[in-house]
Amino acid sequence: MAIRDSRPSTEEPLINSFDLRSAGQHAEFLRTRNEYRGMAGSDTQSASTHLDTLIHHPSPLVLGLTALASISGFMFGYDTGYISSVLVTIGSDLDGRELLVSEKEWITSGTSLGAVVACVFAGYTADLYGRKLVIILCNVLFVLGALLQLLATKVVTMIAGRLIMGLGVGIGSLIAPLYISELSPAKFRGRMVIINCLAITGGQLVAYAIGAILGGYHGGWRAIVGISMLPSTIQLIAFIFLPDTPRYLISIGKHKAAHQVLRKVYLGCPSELIEASIAEIHQLNAAVPGKTELERLRNSASQLFSTPSNQRALVIGCGLQAIQQLVGINSLMYFSGTIFKMVGYSNSTAVSCFVAGTNFLFTIVAFLAVDKVGRRRMLLVSIPLLMCAQVLCAVAFLHMDVKVQQHDLGIWEWSILLGLVLFVAFYAVGLGNVPWQQAELFPQSVRGMGTSLATVTNWTGSLVVSACFLSLMQWLSPAGAFFVFAGITFASWVFIFLVYPELGSLQLEEVQELLKDGFNVQKSIYIHQHRLM
Ligand SMILES: O[C@H]1[C@H](O)[C@@H](O)[C@H](O)[C@@H](O)[C@H]1O
């Protein structure tokens, strides 16, 4: 907001009247403001940025709502993660016979397919009817999908259940990071969104672990599916009573309700400053014009595609989500068992847990580092290391004859294990979570629609990789497949280096201003460094 001079004439009197809690804080505020003025040629610092300087920890409300919103992330991870163990143990429970390969494929990819479809509509629905309502809707779909699978005696019911659950997964993957981004103060935003990523990778880990435990029992798969209804029911009930995001509330004119939420977000901060921040957010977030919903949909789309800052936001958001998937992570998440079996390791379930556990652990590293190190730097450092890990896997595969079923575990077999673990680890610290910060790229009026497109890109990429990976290994050999991933990873680094600015310390309303006349990478780095000081 400081990039745009939003409250030029009221700035000084307002500052004087604020009950700043200490001289140190005031000094800090003035220093930040002056440096920022110098950098951006602006005359003021926004009330929201000022509010940020007054708080030092996320408030209990921010933490609580983030944790509850992240249940959607958990469902995303759990629902995509449990299917491998269900398929192994389902036997002839459906239609009284073993499943055909094509049926297994439908049951597996049904969720991703449902997710792609749902993301197309979810964002715009959230722009129109609110973030909270969409969270409730996604839980209804989770529960409905799980119930159908739980009670299924026919293959077709099972596929329908997976598809409906997929609709929920798609909506949840979009709405949880959006809700958290709009709620969190800028300085904790990165970390709060990563809590949702921790829930995704945690959900995958729990799904593998529960699969390993219950998979051994006859009919255990129904319990694996049934368990998924518990977290979604909790989230469904909780969000009936919880508030929508302050930014959404402001966008529909509910300033009083927004004030109540913001007071708990910025605990102990002066009420006048919160008012000023609401006025700013209101002023900077003009609603999309239109009398009917169709008219507004048309205007939103044209605003999203024709405004230069939104075009750049789309390039970054969709680009990062495509990269997240095309480097091949889900070939490991879904097929690590197959890969390890090919290499000669026998216990594929344990191995899958190991891969999922690494993903989870290194997401914690990202959580601890993101707001200090910055999103851009985390990507630029972790991606070359990820590429080295992929090359290590490829070279190790070159030295093995994968057609031989039983290998002694020699140096190259161990190198593959090492390569895959490093692959997941370096992915988790950067690409696993930074693309999910997508909501910060778009302005309020088209945030839902913009994140929809980015999320559709993610799920399409995931579908393409999981559908093609086994064939790719056949056509090009496993070594060839990993060299392809390494090539994509290299190109990704160049893309990110050229176009991805550091958005870590900007208010959501400032990002648009930054992207107005270019990607402004250098400028963004400058702001980040100065606000961190
Ligand atoms: O960020 C997540 C996470 O990294 C998961 O492990 C992966 O399966 C998803 O596709 C990705 O979106």
Side-chain angles (χ1 to χ4, degrees):
M1 283 173 287
I3 298 173
R4 183 180 339 197
D5 190 0
S6 57
R7 298 178 300 112
S9 57
T10 53
E11 178 71 8
E12 295 304 338
L14 269 178
I15 292 167
N16 293 338
S17 68
F18 288 147
D19 168 27
L20 289 167
R21 287 184 301 176
S22 72
Q25 281 169 352
H26 195 182
E28 188 185 341
F29 163 64
L30 289 177
R31 180 171 55 77
T32 315
R33 185 189 66 175
N34 291 339
E35 279 168 1
Y36 194 62
R37 274 177 179 173
M39 188 282 309
S42 171
D43 196 32
T44 66
Q45 188 203 41
S46 74
S48 306
T49 307
H50 186 178
L51 275 172
D52 265 21
T53 63
L54 298 182
I55 47 164
H56 302 291
H57 305 284
S59 70
L61 181 86
V62 171
L63 288 173
L65 288 181
T66 300
L68 282 164
S70 297
I71 291 180
S72 295
F74 181 85
M75 298 305 298
F76 167 1
Y78 188 84
D79 292 342
T80 51
Y82 75 60
I83 198 60
S84 53
S85 58
V86 165
L87 286 182
V88 176
T89 57
I90 206 163
S92 55
D93 287 0
L94 301 178
D95 287 336
R97 58 171 173 79
E98 294 290 320
L99 294 174
L100 306 174
V101 172
S102 60
E103 290 168 340
K104 284 188 180 178
E105 279 172 356
W106 270 104
I107 291 173
T108 308
S109 52
T111 305
S112 306
L113 206 63
V116 175
V117 175
C119 311
V120 177
F121 307 103
Y124 185 63
T125 313
D127 283 341
L128 271 188
Y129 302 111
R131 285 54 172 132
K132 170 177 153 152
L133 199 85
V134 173
I135 295 185
I136 293 174
L137 172 71
C138 97
N139 284 294
V140 172
L141 293 164
F142 281 143
V143 175
L144 215 67
L147 258 181
L148 271 181
Q149 292 170 63
L150 189 63
L151 304 174
T153 52
K154 293 188 178 319
V155 176
V156 64
T157 323
M158 183 76 183
I159 295 175
R162 289 286 293 170
L163 268 168
I164 293 176
M165 181 175 259
L167 297 174
V169 169
I171 298 174
S173 67
L174 175 150
I175 200 68
L178 194 157
Y179 184 92
I180 298 168
S181 290
E182 285 189 354
L183 173 81
S184 306
K187 74 199 241 197
F188 310 120
R189 195 172 62 229
R191 237 195 253 189
M192 293 299 111
V193 172
I194 294 186
I195 291 185
N196 185 56
C197 298
L198 270 171
I200 300 174
T201 51
Q204 286 172 328
L205 181 59
V206 170
Y208 289 136
I210 292 188
I213 298 165
L214 293 178
Y217 297 96
H218 178 69
W221 68 270
R222 293 196 196 267
I224 300 174
V225 175
I227 288 171
S228 78
M229 293 199 295
L230 186 69
S232 41
T233 309
I234 294 176
Q235 198 188 43
L236 198 162
I237 296 172
F239 267 90
I240 294 176
F241 303 101
L242 292 172
D244 214 313
T245 69
R247 284 185 165 83
Y248 177 74
L249 292 170
I250 295 169
S251 77
I252 55 167
K254 294 194 171 172
H255 290 198
K256 219 165 145 199
H259 191 108
Q260 276 168 2
V261 180
L262 282 172
R263 279 185 67 167
K264 291 184 195 147
V265 170
Y266 293 101
L267 265 189
C269 291
S271 192
E272 305 91 312
L273 191 49
I274 290 174
E275 268 313 313
S277 161
I278 291 177
E280 259 170 19
I281 293 175
H282 177 70
Q283 186 188 339
L284 293 173
N285 287 317
V288 174
K291 284 195 193 78
T292 62
E293 282 176 9
L294 197 71
E295 221 176 283
R296 269 192 284 163
L297 175 66
R298 248 203 323 262
N299 290 337
S300 294
S302 98
Q303 205 179 89
L304 184 61
F305 291 110
S306 61
T307 313
S309 55
N310 288 342
Q311 291 167 343
R312 290 189 189 96
L314 278 175
V315 169
I316 298 170
C318 296
L320 283 185
Q321 286 291 19
I323 290 169
Q324 186 195 66
Q325 293 303 322
L326 296 180
V327 298
I329 183 64
N330 282 329
S331 61
L332 302 194
M333 297 313 292
Y334 300 160
F335 300 109
S336 55
T338 315
I339 300 174
F340 282 104
K341 208 162 164 194
M342 193 162 73
V343 174
Y345 294 90
S346 52
N347 190 343
S348 69
T349 325
V351 162
S352 302
C353 285
F354 194 53
V355 170
T358 308
N359 200 6
F360 178 70
L361 278 181
F362 280 82
T363 310
I364 299 180
V365 176
F367 169 80
L368 295 175
V370 70
D371 285 323
K372 293 218 168 62
V373 177
R375 295 127 168 82
R376 180 179 157 86
R377 204 184 305 162
M378 301 235 321
L379 287 178
L380 290 179
V381 172
S382 64
I383 289 178
L385 296 169
L386 164 63
M387 190 180 79
C388 292
Q390 290 166 325
V391 170
L392 174 63
C393 293
V395 171
F397 269 120
L398 276 181
H399 290 82
M400 279 177 48
D401 184 359
V402 287
K403 290 193 192 82
V404 179
Q405 282 291 312
Q406 283 304 318
H407 292 267
D408 293 331
L409 296 182
I411 175 129
W412 294 114
E413 285 74 15
W414 287 112
S415 303
I416 288 181
L417 177 62
L418 178 69
L420 292 179
V421 168
L422 292 177
F423 180 154
V424 177
F426 293 130
Y427 167 87
V429 288
L431 277 175
N433 57 76
V434 176
W436 288 117
Q437 310 279 350
Q438 58 190 7
E440 63 195 13
L441 291 162
F442 301 96
Q444 184 73 25
S445 52
V446 292
R447 189 167 292 133
M449 204 182 236
T451 49
S452 263
L453 288 177
T455 314
V456 169
T457 313
N458 177 292
W459 282 104
T460 311
S462 170
L463 256 179
V464 168
V465 169
S466 44
C468 300
F469 178 63
L470 294 179
S471 317
L472 197 69
M473 288 216 293
Q474 255 175 6
W475 295 332
L476 297 178
S477 78
F482 277 88
F483 276 127
V484 168
F485 287 147
I488 294 174
T489 306
F490 175 73
S492 307
W493 190 90
V494 176
F495 172 85
I496 289 165
F497 181 78
L498 294 176
V499 307
Y500 185 50
E502 178 55 63
L503 306 177
S505 48
L506 297 185
Q507 299 294 329
L508 289 185
E509 285 70 24
E510 292 175 325
V511 173
Q512 284 309 295
E513 204 56 33
L514 182 86
L515 294 176
K516 214 168 170 181
D517 56 352
F519 288 101
N520 283 321
V521 171
Q522 289 313 319
K523 192 172 180 177
S524 72
I525 296 171
Y526 188 95
I527 300 174
H528 188 67
Q529 283 168 351
H530 281 68
R531 287 197 176 165
L532 276 190
M533 278 189 331

Coordinates of all heavy atoms in Angstrom, one line a residue, residues 135-172:
I135 N -15.5 -23.2 2.2 CA -14.8 -24.2 3.1 C -15.9 -25.2 3.6 O -15.7 -26.4 3.6 CB -14.1 -23.5 4.3 CG1 -13.0 -22.6 3.8 CG2 -13.6 -24.5 5.3 CD1 -12.2 -22.0 4.9
I136 N -17.0 -24.6 3.9 CA -18.1 -25.5 4.4 C -18.5 -26.5 3.3 O -18.6 -27.7 3.4 CB -19.3 -24.7 4.9 CG1 -18.9 -23.9 6.1 CG2 -20.5 -25.6 5.1 CD1 -19.9 -23.0 6.7
L137 N -18.6 -25.9 2.0 CA -19.0 -26.8 0.9 C -18.0 -27.9 0.7 O -18.4 -29.1 0.4 CB -19.1 -25.9 -0.4 CG -19.3 -26.6 -1.7 CD1 -20.7 -27.2 -1.7 CD2 -19.1 -25.7 -2.9
C138 N -16.7 -27.6 0.8 CA -15.7 -28.6 0.5 C -15.8 -29.7 1.5 O -15.6 -30.9 1.1 CB -14.3 -28.0 0.3 SG -13.2 -28.1 1.7
N139 N -16.2 -29.4 2.7 CA -16.3 -30.5 3.7 C -17.6 -31.4 3.5 O -17.5 -32.6 3.7 CB -16.4 -29.9 5.1 CG -15.0 -29.5 5.6 OD1 -14.1 -30.3 5.7 ND2 -14.8 -28.2 5.7
V140 N -18.6 -30.7 3.0 CA -19.8 -31.5 2.7 C -19.4 -32.6 1.6 O -19.7 -33.8 1.7 CB -20.9 -30.6 2.1 CG1 -22.1 -31.4 1.6 CG2 -21.4 -29.7 3.2
L141 N -18.6 -32.1 0.6 CA -18.2 -33.0 -0.4 C -17.2 -34.1 0.1 O -17.3 -35.3 -0.3 CB -17.5 -32.2 -1.6 CG -18.4 -31.3 -2.3 CD1 -17.7 -30.3 -3.2 CD2 -19.3 -32.1 -3.2
F142 N -16.3 -33.7 1.0 CA -15.4 -34.7 1.6 C -16.3 -35.8 2.3 O -16.0 -37.0 2.1 CB -14.6 -34.1 2.7 CG -13.4 -33.3 2.3 CD1 -13.0 -32.2 2.9 CD2 -12.6 -33.7 1.2 CE1 -11.9 -31.4 2.5 CE2 -11.5 -33.0 0.7 CZ -11.2 -31.8 1.4
V143 N -17.2 -35.4 3.1 CA -18.0 -36.4 3.9 C -18.8 -37.3 2.9 O -18.9 -38.5 3.0 CB -18.9 -35.7 4.9 CG1 -19.8 -36.7 5.6 CG2 -18.0 -34.9 5.9
L144 N -19.5 -36.6 1.9 CA -20.3 -37.4 1.0 C -19.5 -38.4 0.2 O -19.9 -39.6 0.1 CB -20.9 -36.3 0.0 CG -22.3 -36.6 -0.5 CD1 -23.3 -36.5 0.7 CD2 -22.7 -35.6 -1.5
G145 N -18.3 -37.9 -0.3 CA -17.5 -38.8 -1.1 C -17.0 -40.0 -0.2 O -17.0 -41.1 -0.7
A146 N -16.6 -39.7 1.0 CA -16.1 -40.8 1.9 C -17.3 -41.8 2.2 O -17.0 -43.0 2.2 CB -15.6 -40.2 3.2
L147 N -18.5 -41.3 2.5 CA -19.6 -42.1 2.8 C -19.9 -43.1 1.6 O -20.1 -44.3 1.8 CB -20.8 -41.3 3.0 CG -21.3 -41.1 4.5 CD1 -22.5 -40.2 4.5 CD2 -21.4 -42.4 5.2
L148 N -19.9 -42.5 0.4 CA -20.1 -43.4 -0.8 C -19.1 -44.5 -0.9 O -19.4 -45.7 -1.1 CB -20.1 -42.5 -2.1 CG -21.3 -41.9 -2.5 CD1 -21.1 -41.1 -3.8 CD2 -22.4 -43.0 -2.8
Q149 N -17.8 -44.2 -0.6 CA -16.8 -45.2 -0.7 C -16.9 -46.2 0.4 O -16.8 -47.4 0.2 CB -15.4 -44.5 -0.6 CG -15.1 -43.7 -1.8 CD -13.8 -42.9 -1.6 OE1 -12.7 -43.4 -1.4 NE2 -13.9 -41.5 -1.5
L150 N -17.2 -45.7 1.6 CA -17.3 -46.6 2.7 C -18.4 -47.6 2.5 O -18.3 -48.8 2.9 CB -17.7 -45.7 3.9 CG -17.7 -46.3 5.3 CD1 -16.3 -46.7 5.6 CD2 -18.2 -45.3 6.4
L151 N -19.5 -47.2 1.9 CA -20.6 -48.1 1.7 C -20.6 -48.9 0.4 O -21.5 -49.7 0.1 CB -22.0 -47.4 1.9 CG -22.1 -46.6 3.2 CD1 -23.4 -45.7 3.2 CD2 -22.2 -47.5 4.4
A152 N -19.6 -48.6 -0.4 CA -19.6 -49.1 -1.8 C -19.5 -50.6 -1.8 O -18.7 -51.2 -1.1 CB -18.5 -48.5 -2.6
T153 N -20.4 -51.2 -2.7 CA -20.2 -52.7 -2.9 C -20.0 -52.8 -4.4 O -19.7 -53.9 -4.9 CB -21.5 -53.4 -2.5 OG1 -22.6 -52.8 -3.2 CG2 -21.7 -53.5 -1.0
K154 N -20.1 -51.7 -5.2 CA -19.9 -51.8 -6.6 C -18.7 -50.8 -7.0 O -18.5 -49.8 -6.3 CB -21.1 -51.4 -7.4 CG -22.3 -52.3 -7.2 CD -23.4 -51.9 -8.2 CE -24.6 -52.8 -8.1 NZ -24.3 -54.2 -8.1
V155 N -18.0 -51.2 -8.1 CA -16.9 -50.4 -8.5 C -17.4 -49.0 -8.8 O -16.7 -48.0 -8.5 CB -16.2 -51.0 -9.7 CG1 -15.1 -50.1 -10.3 CG2 -15.7 -52.4 -9.4
V156 N -18.5 -48.9 -9.5 CA -19.0 -47.6 -10.0 C -19.3 -46.7 -8.8 O -19.0 -45.5 -8.9 CB -20.2 -47.8 -10.9 CG1 -21.4 -48.4 -10.2 CG2 -20.6 -46.5 -11.6
T157 N -19.8 -47.2 -7.7 CA -20.0 -46.4 -6.5 C -18.7 -45.9 -6.0 O -18.6 -44.7 -5.5 CB -20.8 -47.2 -5.4 OG1 -21.7 -48.1 -6.0 CG2 -21.5 -46.3 -4.4
M158 N -17.7 -46.7 -5.9 CA -16.4 -46.3 -5.4 C -15.8 -45.2 -6.3 O -15.3 -44.2 -5.7 CB -15.5 -47.6 -5.5 CG -14.1 -47.3 -4.9 SD -14.2 -47.3 -3.1 CE -12.5 -47.0 -2.7
I159 N -16.0 -45.3 -7.6 CA -15.4 -44.3 -8.5 C -16.2 -43.0 -8.2 O -15.6 -41.9 -8.1 CB -15.5 -44.7 -10.0 CG1 -14.6 -45.9 -10.2 CG2 -15.1 -43.6 -10.9 CD1 -14.7 -46.5 -11.6
A160 N -17.5 -43.1 -8.1 CA -18.3 -41.9 -7.9 C -17.9 -41.2 -6.5 O -17.7 -40.0 -6.5 CB -19.8 -42.2 -7.8
G161 N -17.6 -42.0 -5.5 CA -17.2 -41.5 -4.2 C -15.8 -40.8 -4.4 O -15.6 -39.7 -3.8
R162 N -14.9 -41.4 -5.1 CA -13.6 -40.8 -5.3 C -13.7 -39.4 -6.1 O -13.0 -38.5 -5.8 CB -12.7 -41.7 -6.1 CG -12.2 -42.9 -5.3 CD -11.2 -42.6 -4.2 NE -9.9 -42.1 -4.7 CZ -8.9 -41.6 -4.0 NH1 -9.1 -41.4 -2.7 NH2 -7.8 -41.3 -4.6
L163 N -14.6 -39.4 -7.1 CA -14.8 -38.2 -7.8 C -15.3 -37.1 -7.0 O -14.8 -35.9 -7.0 CB -15.8 -38.4 -9.0 CG -15.1 -38.9 -10.3 CD1 -16.2 -39.4 -11.3 CD2 -14.4 -37.7 -11.0
I164 N -16.4 -37.4 -6.2 CA -17.0 -36.4 -5.3 C -15.9 -35.9 -4.2 O -15.8 -34.7 -4.0 CB -18.2 -36.9 -4.6 CG1 -19.3 -37.2 -5.7 CG2 -18.8 -36.0 -3.5 CD1 -20.6 -37.8 -5.2
M165 N -15.2 -36.9 -3.7 CA -14.2 -36.5 -2.7 C -13.1 -35.6 -3.4 O -12.6 -34.6 -2.8 CB -13.5 -37.8 -2.2 CG -12.4 -37.5 -1.2 SD -11.8 -39.1 -0.6 CE -12.7 -39.2 1.0
G166 N -12.9 -35.9 -4.7 CA -11.9 -35.1 -5.5 C -12.4 -33.6 -5.6 O -11.6 -32.7 -5.6
L167 N -13.7 -33.5 -5.8 CA -14.2 -32.1 -5.9 C -13.9 -31.4 -4.6 O -13.4 -30.2 -4.6 CB -15.8 -32.1 -6.0 CG -16.3 -32.8 -7.3 CD1 -17.9 -32.8 -7.2 CD2 -15.9 -32.0 -8.6
G168 N -14.1 -32.0 -3.5 CA -13.7 -31.4 -2.2 C -12.2 -31.1 -2.1 O -11.8 -30.1 -1.6
V169 N -11.4 -32.1 -2.5 CA -9.9 -31.9 -2.4 C -9.5 -30.7 -3.3 O -8.7 -29.8 -2.8 CB -9.2 -33.2 -2.9 CG1 -7.7 -32.9 -3.1 CG2 -9.4 -34.3 -2.0
G170 N -10.1 -30.5 -4.5 CA -9.7 -29.4 -5.3 C -10.1 -28.1 -4.7 O -9.3 -27.2 -4.6
I171 N -11.3 -28.0 -4.1 CA -11.8 -26.8 -3.5 C -10.9 -26.5 -2.3 O -10.5 -25.4 -2.1 CB -13.3 -26.9 -3.1 CG1 -14.1 -27.1 -4.3 CG2 -13.7 -25.7 -2.4 CD1 -15.6 -27.4 -4.0
G172 N -10.7 -27.5 -1.5 CA -9.9 -27.3 -0.3 C -8.5 -26.9 -0.6 O -7.9 -26.0 0.1

